[in-house]
């Protein structure tokens, strides 16, 4: 049976580019994008798209049966900063959507599930540097709590029901193609737009706040690679640490100034600073490397070059 994919929450920052990558991998007719509303991105005019509420199990099941779906990528979620403004809705969306998909896999309606976790599962008592795969995890945000709970449920469904669910803990994701969705690491995307369009940026984090980051191409590749890995090699069924680089806003600003010398940055930390203070500065992803050969391609210089050259092309 050929692989047929449903992406739930396809219109988000990661989902938009994942949709393109999966269609390039499996063919346009084998990948269905869905979200609660349709984006105006051209990506979603190039293949099947379904309006779908991630909280509606019956609607998800109907869509799966209609398109004979084998694999579901559940990308719908309310992210860290946005979730703090509406905790009840964040919990409902983040958790019930996962239960729906895990139960459909348990019922053998689908074969395989991808569900993203996040570095938000870590807390202020987790090691800050080279945060290991297995460590203290005491998240302080609704987003982090939902992701940690989700990890435990993924592992439970795999151990008790044989559900083939796979997950990675995304760091901050940097992309020029789609806007970020309300996360604490969003400054690392916003800064490029402001640098290109205005030549200045006011950052909502302190200049010395180091956080793990990754270019979108690496994040998408990791997502597809773990789903294509042999099941026996996917030994962690909660979620894998993956990493690329770590930097502070000040370090990123300096790298941008190498290509836009007139760029200036100011700092006005807001509520997102308290969230960032509980997150790791860097991540140890040795387990993912050992189990399914994960490695990143883009360093800071490559990311800055890609972001500026592409945004100058599409914005200016």
């Amino acid at each position: 049976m050929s692989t047929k994919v449903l992406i739930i929450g396809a219109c988000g920052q990661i989902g938009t580019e994942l949709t393109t990558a999966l269609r390039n991998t499996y063919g346009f007719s084998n990948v269905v994008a869905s979200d609660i509303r349709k984006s105006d991105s051209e990506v979603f005019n190039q293949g099947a798209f379904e309006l779908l509420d991630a909280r509606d199990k019956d609607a998800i099941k109907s869509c799966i049966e209609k398109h004979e779906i084998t694999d579901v990528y559940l990308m719908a979620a309310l992210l860290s900063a946005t979730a703090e403004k509406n905790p009840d809705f964040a919990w409902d969306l983040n958790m019930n959507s996962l239960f729906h998909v895990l139960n459909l896999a348990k019922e053998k309606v689908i074969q395989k599930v991808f569900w993203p976790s996040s570095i938000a599962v870590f807390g202020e008592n987790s090691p800050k540097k080279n945060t290991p795969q297995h460590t203290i995890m005491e998240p302080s945000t609704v987003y982090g709590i939902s992701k940690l709970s989700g990890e435990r449920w993924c592992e439970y469904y795999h151990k008790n029901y044989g559900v083939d669910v796979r997950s990675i803990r995304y760091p901050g994701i940097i992309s020029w193609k789609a806007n970020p969705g309300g996360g604490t690491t969003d400054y690392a995307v916003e800064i490029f737009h402001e640098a290109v369009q205005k030549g200045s940026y006011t950052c909502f984090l302190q200049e010395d706040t180091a956080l793990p980051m990754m270019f979108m191409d690496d994040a998408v590749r990791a997502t597809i690679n773990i789903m294509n890995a042999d099941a026996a090699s996917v030994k962690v069924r909660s979620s894998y640490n993956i990493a690329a680089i770590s930097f502070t806003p000040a370090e990123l600003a300096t790298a941008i100034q190498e290509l836009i010398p007139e760029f200036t940055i100011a700092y006005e930390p807001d509520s997102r600073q308290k969230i960032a203070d509980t997150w790791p500065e860097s991540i140890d992803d040795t387990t993912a490397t050992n189990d399914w050969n994960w490695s990143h391609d883009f360093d800071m210089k490559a990311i800055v070059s890609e972001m500026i050259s592409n945004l100058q092309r599409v914005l200016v």
Side-chain angles (χ1 to χ4, degrees):
M1 186 176 182
S2 62
T3 298
K4 293 197 172 182
V5 172
L6 171 64
I7 309 162
I8 301 174
C11 296
Q13 183 195 21
I14 298 174
T16 299
E17 298 197 37
L18 181 62
T19 298
T20 298
L22 286 170
R23 284 176 173 165
N24 289 337
T25 301
Y26 295 112
F28 281 65
S29 62
N30 292 319
V31 177
V32 179
S34 72
D35 212 309
I36 198 164
R37 61 183 62 84
K38 190 173 183 180
S39 164
D40 58 4
S41 172
E42 183 61 29
V43 168
F44 301 108
N45 294 324
Q46 298 172 349
F49 183 91
E50 297 278 359
L51 291 176
L52 192 61
D53 186 341
R55 298 170 297 163
D56 187 338
K57 183 184 178 184
D58 290 340
I60 295 172
K61 185 177 181 182
S62 294
C63 184
I64 287 169
E65 291 173 342
K66 174 183 176 182
H67 294 281
E68 300 180 320
I69 298 298
T70 61
D71 297 3
V72 170
Y73 291 70
L74 176 57
M75 309 305 292
L78 215 60
L79 302 185
S80 58
T82 306
E84 290 303 292
K85 299 173 184 176
N86 197 342
D88 290 347
F89 176 70
W91 183 259
D92 182 21
L93 173 61
N94 295 1
M95 293 308 302
N96 285 324
S97 61
L98 176 58
F99 276 125
H100 295 335
V101 173
L102 288 176
N103 282 321
L104 289 168
K106 175 187 172 184
E107 296 160 11
K108 309 299 182 185
V109 177
I110 51 176
Q111 297 176 6
K112 199 184 301 184
V113 175
F114 176 82
W115 174 80
S117 190
S118 164
I119 59 170
V121 296
F122 301 112
E124 60 184 357
N125 293 318
S126 306
K128 288 288 190 184
K129 298 182 185 298
N130 293 318
T131 306
Q133 175 68 42
H134 302 287
T135 188
I136 297 169
M137 300 165 75
E138 298 174 344
S140 60
T141 64
V142 176
Y143 179 63
I145 293 167
S146 70
K147 288 299 183 183
L148 179 54
S149 300
E151 287 190 13
R152 303 269 61 83
W153 280 113
C154 286
E155 186 176 66
Y156 182 90
Y157 270 72
H158 174 72
K159 286 184 175 181
N160 290 280
Y161 307 126
V163 170
D164 190 353
V165 56
R166 307 175 184 208
S167 178
I168 54 181
R169 294 170 181 150
Y170 289 127
I173 305 298
I174 302 174
S175 168
W176 60 271
K177 292 181 182 178
N179 292 326
T184 301
T185 57
D186 285 1
Y187 89 86
V189 177
E190 294 173 359
I191 191 173
F192 288 102
H193 286 258
E194 297 294 293
V196 168
Q197 293 182 298
K198 299 179 181 178
S200 64
Y201 178 63
T202 300
C203 184
F204 56 74
L205 297 182
Q206 294 172 355
E207 61 182 321
D208 59 351
T209 304
L211 290 170
M213 299 284 182
M214 180 177 291
F215 193 54
M216 179 66 81
D217 291 29
D218 279 334
V220 168
R221 185 169 53 82
T223 303
I224 295 174
N225 284 357
I226 192 174
M227 285 292 275
N228 286 337
D230 183 83
S233 68
V234 184
K235 300 171 184 177
V236 175
R237 294 296 182 146
S238 52
S239 194
Y240 278 94
N241 279 0
I242 60 169
I245 60 173
S246 293
F247 53 75
T248 67
E251 290 169 339
L252 181 56
T254 297
I256 291 172
Q257 287 165 344
E258 292 182 9
L259 296 181
I260 306 177
E262 66 276 14
F263 174 69
T264 61
I265 188 168
Y267 301 93
E268 293 181 5
D270 63 17
S271 60
R272 286 168 282 192
Q273 183 64 49
K274 291 182 179 179
I275 297 175
D277 288 342
T278 69
W279 286 4
E281 295 179 8
S282 58
I283 296 289
D284 180 354
D285 59 0
T286 305
T287 303
T289 299
N290 292 341
D291 286 2
W292 43 278
N293 298 317
W294 157 251
S295 64
H296 72 278
D297 289 337
F298 287 81
D299 59 14
M300 180 184 279
K301 184 175 182 180
I303 291 172
V304 171
S305 176
E306 284 284 321
M307 290 295 291
I308 291 178
S309 61
N310 281 293
L311 287 176
Q312 287 177 332
R313 176 172 56 84
V314 299
L315 294 179
V316 176

